[in-house]
Amino acid sequence: MTRRLAGAPISWGVCEVPGWGHQLDVDRVLAEMAALGLTASEFGPDGFLPADGAARQEALRRHGLRAVGGFLPVVLHGSTQDPVSEVAAALRQFRAADAGVLVLAAATGLDGYDSRPELDADGWRTLLSNLDLLDRVAADAGVTATLHPHVGTMIEKPEEIERLLDGSGIGLCLDTGHVLAGGGDPVRLAGQAAERVKHVHLKDVDAGQAQRVRAGAVSYRDAVAQGLYRPLGQGDVDVAAIVASLEEAAYAGWYVLEQDLVLDREPPAGAGPVTEVAACLAYLRGLPS
């Protein structure tokens, strides 16, 4: 599985949320990924890499990286909103960059991940129908679509993930941290739904901080700034068990190191996010093969 490890700009604090934190320069992020031995990366938010797909691919290639795909939050539950045109435009960029995985999130329509509305029955029907539609649109473009359960989106909690799996055929992006932060058990999910897992985001989590987020005692963004996510092997997610379960089930996709991070300033060269990603890589490379 170490040959299927990829990076993500959010591990360097690069995020789509306005006011999230200090944003590092693209060349620093990609150079540090490459220096760690990573060979592929997700795109990051709009504006991090060039908008044109071929130019995105070239920006990654300059650092010896290939494109994996990327995260796209889309409002899927609104009866007056058509997500197809937005997703189709993104898919054209993906194909031009030779990226194969679309990671959808069921966005609330609000900025950030600190609050969300409740879905009624009609909203759920619309959301699930749109997911199946977008799954077909992506497949027609030669891209694998997945849905990413994510704190502060319309699919976050264990019962919502179960409803997703029962009501839609789209593949799952298993984010080990967001599943736990939303109150679920990522080990159990990896074991029971391995055949639906088409993409993996690896995170480790401080379960105490996650409970504070669920209780409303701290916002998601502030919890991230306070250390909600830990280097792999240093939190409360049994990452080793998840990887073992997926490998036993013949999972053949990417494992993306995707530890959400908030920076308040530019770290010195060789310090900051790169050290945490290095610790994650060391942990994974030490797992039994």
Side-chain angles (χ1 to χ4, degrees), residues 192-217:
Q192 292 187 343
E195 75 285 353
R196 294 290 296 274
V197 176
K198 305 301 179 185
H199 197 57
V200 176
H201 285 172
L202 289 177
K203 289 184 176 71
D204 210 339
V205 178
D206 180 323
Q209 282 275 32
Q211 174 57 38
R212 294 183 67 223
V213 174
R214 290 196 298 275

Side-chain angles (χ1 to χ4, degrees), residues 45-218:
D46 284 347
F48 179 67
L49 291 173
D52 175 72
R56 285 186 182 190
Q57 185 183 48
E58 180 55 31
L60 291 168
R61 279 181 174 172
R62 284 199 302 271
H63 295 276
L65 299 167
R66 60 168 289 190
V68 170
F71 178 73
L72 184 65
V74 182
V75 175
L76 300 168
H77 60 279
S79 60
T80 62
Q81 292 158 311
D82 176 13
V84 172
S85 58
E86 179 180 357
V87 171
L91 289 170
R92 288 192 290 272
Q93 296 172 334
F94 278 47
R95 293 310 305 145
D98 196 24
V101 184
L102 172 66
V103 182
L104 293 168
T108 62
L110 307 172
D111 284 338
Y113 300 111
D114 294 331
S115 63
R116 63 182 196 143
E118 289 293 326
L119 275 185
D120 59 16
D122 287 341
W124 268 106
R125 279 192 292 271
T126 300
L127 186 153
L128 295 171
S129 175
N130 277 329
L131 285 176
D132 283 338
L133 173 60
L134 295 175
D135 190 27
R136 294 191 296 271
V137 169
D140 289 345
V143 174
T144 298
T146 64
L147 189 282
H148 181 336
H150 192 295
V151 170
T153 68
M154 306 314 298
I155 299 179
E156 169 189 331
K157 299 176 182 178
E159 59 270 25
E160 294 162 353
I161 298 173
E162 184 174 345
R163 193 165 182 175
L164 160 74
L165 294 173
D166 289 343
S168 171
I170 197 169
L172 181 68
C173 172
L174 173 60
D175 187 299
T176 60
H178 277 284
V179 170
L180 187 146
D185 181 346
V187 176
R188 180 173 177 269
L189 182 60
Q192 292 187 343
E195 75 285 353
R196 294 290 296 274
V197 176
K198 305 301 179 185
H199 197 57
V200 176
H201 285 172
L202 289 177
K203 289 184 176 71
D204 210 339
V205 178
D206 180 323
Q209 282 275 32
Q211 174 57 38
R212 294 183 67 223
V213 174
R214 290 196 298 275
V218 62

